[in-house]
């Protein structure tokens, strides 16, 4: 199968495991019969779910999401593509790095009040550890409402 889908990439702070859990909970409310990594996720499994502890590595771990068994099969046949309902499987790839990350200047600040954005625009960034995260949606979130809703849920999971 050819790789399909549209990646949206981020650097996330060490709060990513909590945000990933909140993201999973949001998606489970949208898809009550959610499959996570090919396995149905029931309320019992969701209640105790935590992001698996991963070593500091450059290899990505993956969380694969599908609405139900039919979408899981759709993924096998079509990859990360929209189905007849306008929804599709998606994945969250992540790698944890326990070493510092520094950047010379922050640009393109969004999602905060204008005064906050102006105060951090063009200043340096220092993190003691971080995650590299890639959300792979069926289509471009800028043009596809379903993919946009998945991206919005991920972003809002960091605000809770």
């Amino acid at each position: 199968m050819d790789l399909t889908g549209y990646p949206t990439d981020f650097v996330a702070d060490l709060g990513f495991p909590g945000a990933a859990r909140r993201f999973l909970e949001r998606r489970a409310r949208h898809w009550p019969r959610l499959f996570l990594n090919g396995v149905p996720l029931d309320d019992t499994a969701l209640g105790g779910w935590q992001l698996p502890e991963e070593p500091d590595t450059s290899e990505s771990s993956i969380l694969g999401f599908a609405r139900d068994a039919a979408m899981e099969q759709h993924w096998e046949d079509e990859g990360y593509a929209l189905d007849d309902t306008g929804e599709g499987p998606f994945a969250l790839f992540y790698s944890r790095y326990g070493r510092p990350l520094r950047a010379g200047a922050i640009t393109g600040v969004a999602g905060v009040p204008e005064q906050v954005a102006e105060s951090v625009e063009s200043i340096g960034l220092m993190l003691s550890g971080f995650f590299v995260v890639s959300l792979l949606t069926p289509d471009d979130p800028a043009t596809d409402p379903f993919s946009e809703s998945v991206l919005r849920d991920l972003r809002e999971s960091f605000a809770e």
Side-chain angles (χ1 to χ4, degrees):
M1 171 180 21
D2 291 331
L3 290 177
T4 60
Y6 188 92
T8 304
D9 302 322
F10 302 94
V11 170
D13 66 14
L14 295 177
F16 174 71
R21 178 179 171 76
R22 291 186 294 275
F23 178 63
L24 175 61
E25 290 169 346
R26 284 173 168 267
R27 297 317 301 177
R29 284 191 297 271
H30 182 70
W31 285 344
R33 296 188 326 250
L34 174 72
F35 273 53
L36 182 65
N37 292 342
V39 177
L41 187 68
D42 61 20
D43 289 340
T44 304
L46 180 60
W49 188 88
Q50 292 184 352
L51 189 71
E53 287 288 326
E54 300 294 334
D56 186 16
T57 179
S58 60
E59 293 184 30
S60 290
S61 297
I62 182 173
L63 298 174
F65 295 77
R67 178 187 58 236
D68 51 26
M71 185 176 282
E72 189 70 23
Q73 185 59 50
H74 176 80
W75 174 81
E76 289 287 339
D77 298 338
E78 305 293 330
Y80 296 102
L82 297 172
D83 64 12
D84 293 340
T85 69
E87 296 183 335
F90 59 91
L92 193 60
F93 294 83
Y94 62 95
S95 299
R96 180 184 180 279
Y97 296 88
R99 53 190 171 274
L101 173 68
R102 297 176 192 93
I106 297 172
T107 61
V109 177
V112 295
E114 186 176 333
Q115 182 180 7
V116 174
E118 289 173 358
S119 70
V120 298
E121 186 79 29
S122 300
I123 66 173
L125 173 72
M126 295 185 292
L127 298 173
S128 59
F130 61 98
F131 285 80
V132 173
V133 179
S134 183
L135 177 64
L136 188 66
T137 53
D139 208 341
D140 183 349
T143 59
D144 171 52
F146 171 74
S147 297
E148 189 276 330
S149 75
V150 174
L151 177 57
R152 182 181 58 246
D153 274 355
L154 179 60
R155 285 183 171 149
E156 289 177 0
S157 294
F158 279 89
E160 296 176 354

